[in-house]
Amino acid sequence: AGDHQADLHLAIEGPEGEPAAPTVPLHVILRSAPRAQVNIAGSAGAFGSGSSVEVVDFGLAATGVTRRVFVQVRANAESTLTVKSQHHGVMRHLEMGEAGSVVAYGLELDGQPVDLSETWTRLVDPPRTLEGVSLPMDFTLGTVAGQMSGRYEDLLTIDISPN
């Protein structure tokens, strides 16, 4: 991102390669807008452009079970990665909603705990390459004993914005 400059020389040649005009100095400035993108690898979801829903499935829940996905970031500038949990770090029983039981879970990104009780942010400055950076995201289920049987869910929104 930013301005990239170069000094060039413009030469005009005839059909035989002979100079047709004097060489002209030329100063070129390329303005590159800051851009960032994020995708999740290792989850189940639809491929396509725009926002999508990716699923991390714990299967039959057990206390302490972990799942790992990778948050892949590409950017041409330092960027802010944001993680927000719809239910503030707990999965709610799908049929019972707010009145049903919950299963807490922990989340780490690149080995650092993520506090899902509020919107969490982190600065990232990936290499300016096609590969970018791939950050491990680990989910760990809390206590599941004594909870109602059924499906539980939380929705994480993961966003990136170039600074």
Side-chain angles (χ1 to χ4, degrees):
D3 290 352
H4 306 276
Q5 302 181 37
D7 289 314
L8 305 174
H9 294 281
L10 177 63
I12 301 173
E13 297 179 348
E16 303 296 320
E18 73 280 2
T23 302
V24 178
L26 184 63
H27 184 74
V28 177
I29 300 174
L30 169 69
R31 290 210 164 91
S32 176
R35 298 188 185 275
Q37 73 177 51
V38 64
N39 68 288
I40 310 298
S43 59
F47 177 77
S49 60
S51 297
S52 64
V53 175
E54 309 294 335
V55 176
V56 177
D57 188 349
F58 284 95
L60 185 59
T63 301
V65 169
T66 63
R67 294 290 184 263
R68 173 175 275 188
V69 297
F70 290 90
V71 177
Q72 297 175 325
V73 177
R74 292 170 197 83
N76 66 359
E78 183 180 67
S79 301
T80 301
L81 185 67
T82 304
V83 180
K84 183 175 178 155
S85 165
Q86 181 180 19
H87 300 303
H88 308 288
V90 298
M91 291 185 284
R92 294 202 176 276
H93 193 276
L94 282 178
E95 287 87 34
M96 300 301 289
E98 296 289 327
S101 59
V102 298
V103 174
Y105 65 95
L107 182 66
E108 289 186 356
L109 181 66
D110 201 23
Q112 296 180 354
V114 175
D115 180 3
L116 294 174
S117 65
E118 57 189 17
T119 301
W120 181 88
T121 61
R122 173 182 166 180
L123 288 178
V124 292
D125 196 10
R128 308 305 188 259
T129 63
L130 183 59
E131 293 82 19
V133 67
S134 190
L135 306 170
M137 179 177 269
D138 297 310
F139 297 82
T140 304
L141 281 184
T143 303
V144 297
Q147 302 296 342
M148 294 174 56
S149 66
R151 294 180 58 94
Y152 288 76
E153 177 180 85
D154 188 19
L155 176 66
L156 291 182
T157 302
I158 302 172
D159 192 22
I160 189 145
S161 300
N163 297 342

